[in-house]
Amino acid sequence: MSAKDDENDGPAAEREVIQGEIDPTTEETPKKKRGAHRAPDEEEPAPVVEEAKPALGAELSALRGELDERTHDLQRVTAEYANYRKRVDRDRGAAAEQTTGAVLTALLPVLDDIDRAREHGDLVGPFASVAEQLTAVTGKLGLVAFGEKGDPFDPNRHEAVAHQTSADVTEATCVEVMRRGYTLGERLLRPAMVAVADPE
């Protein structure tokens, strides 16, 4: 090697090498990926979200089941309360009707006397006014009188105390009414006492 070559291998050559190392035009080494070099004893982070999903699903199912159960309980209690109210209202109405019926039944003999006085023409003056007021009040309470001559005989509503045959009728008919009957709503307070004629 010549002295000239030694000169070339000196500080100038070192400068070229250093410039080559820091030359910005040279390609940069690729950046390290995150987590590419992990210590062997370093553990993977636990998948918290993935493991929590099944737990949340189970808890949600349990809550839905409990909600359904409470909803059914509420519906059952509501239905029982509605039935209780209906039963109480029905019992209250029945009790009121029985009380009213008892009072009106006690007044029926008075109404019978009024009917007899009307038939004999004795229902005049102030007595007639009182009788009309009593009849109006009992009518407002639901008392309905029945039993007239010519009505078809109904064994459920009429009490036959006399029986005869007649060519003037084509079916069992009430030909005479001894005492009128009364109803309160659908309830029969007293049957009418009648004489019945059957066709010949």
Side-chain angles (χ1 to χ4, degrees):
M1 180 178 294
S2 64
K4 192 175 184 177
D5 293 332
D6 290 338
E7 291 175 2
N8 292 337
D9 292 336
E14 291 178 2
R15 283 195 300 271
E16 291 178 2
V17 171
I18 293 172
Q19 287 176 358
E21 288 179 355
I22 61 173
D23 188 3
T25 60
T26 59
E27 295 181 6
E28 294 181 358
T29 58
K31 296 181 180 179
K32 294 182 180 180
K33 296 181 179 179
R34 291 182 182 176
H37 298 287
R38 190 184 307 276
D41 58 345
E42 190 176 348
E43 296 181 357
E44 289 285 337
V48 178
V49 177
E50 295 297 329
E51 291 180 358
K53 284 183 179 178
L56 289 175
E59 185 177 357
L60 181 60
S61 298
L63 289 175
R64 284 179 177 171
E66 187 174 352
L67 177 62
D68 291 341
E69 184 179 353
R70 296 294 182 270
T71 302
H72 292 322
D73 291 342
L74 179 60
Q75 291 174 345
R76 183 175 63 254
V77 170
T78 303
E80 289 176 356
Y81 179 68
N83 292 334
Y84 169 75
R85 286 189 59 186
K86 290 179 182 178
R87 185 169 60 252
V88 168
D89 292 341
R90 184 173 60 250
D91 292 345
R92 185 183 295 119
E97 184 177 347
Q98 287 179 355
T99 303
T100 305
V103 173
L104 292 176
T105 301
L107 289 175
L108 293 184
V110 178
L111 297 177
D112 293 338
D113 290 340
I114 292 174
D115 287 339
R116 283 191 286 270
R118 184 181 292 112
E119 289 176 1
H120 291 96
D122 296 332
L123 199 60
V124 293
F127 181 66
S129 176
V130 172
E132 292 301 326
Q133 288 180 5
L134 180 61
T135 303
V137 169
T138 57
K140 288 180 180 179
L141 292 175
L143 186 68
V144 177
F146 69 91
E148 301 291 340
K149 290 183 179 180
D151 289 346
F153 176 71
D154 182 357
N156 296 320
R157 292 164 56 90
H158 299 117
E159 179 183 353
V161 294
H163 183 268
Q164 63 188 37
T165 59
S166 174
D168 298 331
V169 298
T170 57
E171 60 179 348
T173 305
C174 299
V175 293
E176 188 177 351
V177 178
M178 290 82 165
R179 188 184 67 188
R180 292 201 296 175
Y182 290 92
T183 59
L184 178 63
E186 299 295 327
R187 179 182 172 191
L188 177 66
L189 290 183
R190 188 182 73 182
M193 187 181 296
V194 297
V196 182
D198 287 329
E200 292 181 349

